[in-house]
Amino acid sequence: MMAEAKLIYPRHAVVRLRGIPTTPRDIARTLDLLRLRRKFTMVVVPGSPSIMGMIQEVNDWVTWGEIEADTLAEVLKKRGRIVGDKPLTLEYLKKWGWQSFEEVALAYVAGEIERLSCGRYYAREGQRPPCIPYLKPFFRLHPPRGGLNSVKLHFAAGGDLGYRGPLINDLIRRML
C-alpha cells in the first residue's frame, strides 16, 4: 500500500478588527471558536476547508491573508506569550529543541509542524515536540500605526475587512 500524501494547506493570519457590542450570537460563537475574542487579536490557522468556511462566516468582522515566515517570526518574538502571561523567549524555545524564532516560523509555514501551540507535552529524550508547548494560541496586537481606512467596508472596496492576501503582512507589522 502507498502512504497517503499529507495535505499542506497555506497558513493564514486572521485579525479581528471589529468589536463586541453589535456582534450577533452565531458570529460571536464562530469568533470564539477561532479564539478571536477581542478586537485586535490575531490567530494563525491552516487554510483547510472547515477553517475557511468559518472565516467566510465572520468575513464582516475580520481580515485575513497568507502569512510569511519572517512576519510570523517577528510576531512570535514580540507578541508571543506562554501560559502565565510570560513572554516567549529564545531560552524557552531552546529548552524544547528549537534554535530560533525563524526556525519555528519556517517549519510552521512549510507544513513541517501542524500547530504552533499545544498544551502539555511529554518529550522523549532527544525528540523535538511538534509544536511550542504552553504557547497561547492567539496574539494580542496593538491598533495599527497610521490607523485603519474603514471597518465597515471590505478591502477590495477601500476598507479593511475581508481577504487581503499577502498584504496582511504589512498590516501585522504596523500592529506590532
Side-chain angles (χ1 to χ4, degrees), residues 96 121-129:
W96 292 101
Y121 183 78
Y122 299 105
R124 293 188 186 111
E125 190 65 33
Q127 182 182 13
R128 180 191 297 179

Side-chain angles (χ1 to χ4, degrees), residues 67-78 101-103 105-106:
I67 192 164
E68 297 170 355
D70 57 342
T71 305
L72 181 57
E74 215 173 313
V75 169
L76 287 169
K77 192 180 302 178
K78 291 185 180 179
F101 291 102
E102 290 78 14
E103 182 185 9
L106 279 170

Side-chain angles (χ1 to χ4, degrees), residues 27-154:
I27 301 296
R29 172 76 175 139
T30 306
L31 287 167
D32 190 53
L33 289 172
L34 286 170
R35 293 189 174 105
L36 294 170
R37 296 178 180 108
R38 293 181 178 193
K39 193 172 169 181
F40 302 129
T41 55
M42 180 187 88
V43 294
V44 183
V45 294
S48 65
S50 59
I51 298 287
M52 293 311 292
M54 293 170 73
I55 292 173
Q56 287 298 328
E57 185 177 342
V58 296
N59 196 16
D60 294 333
W61 278 263
V62 300
T63 186
W64 79 94
E66 294 85 16
I67 192 164
E68 297 170 355
D70 57 342
T71 305
L72 181 57
E74 215 173 313
V75 169
L76 287 169
K77 192 180 302 178
K78 291 185 180 179
R79 305 302 295 171
R81 298 273 184 221
I82 54 176
V83 173
D85 205 29
K86 299 174 189 166
L88 180 64
T89 61
L90 189 57
E91 293 79 30
Y92 185 80
L93 285 179
K94 286 184 178 181
K95 171 185 165 187
W96 292 101
W98 299 100
Q99 297 305 313
S100 66
F101 291 102
E102 290 78 14
E103 182 185 9
V104 175
L106 279 170
Y108 183 69
V109 171
E112 294 172 17
I113 57 175
E114 273 185 46
R115 304 183 299 175
L116 275 177
S117 65
C118 58
R120 189 173 299 162
Y121 183 78
Y122 299 105
R124 293 188 186 111
E125 190 65 33
Q127 182 182 13
R128 180 191 297 179
C131 57
I132 302 171
Y134 303 108
L135 175 71
K136 288 191 176 184
F138 58 89
F139 303 95
R140 296 183 187 122
L141 303 176
H142 296 287
R145 284 184 213 97
L148 295 168
N149 294 331
S150 171
V151 292
K152 294 184 179 181
L153 295 175
H154 283 268

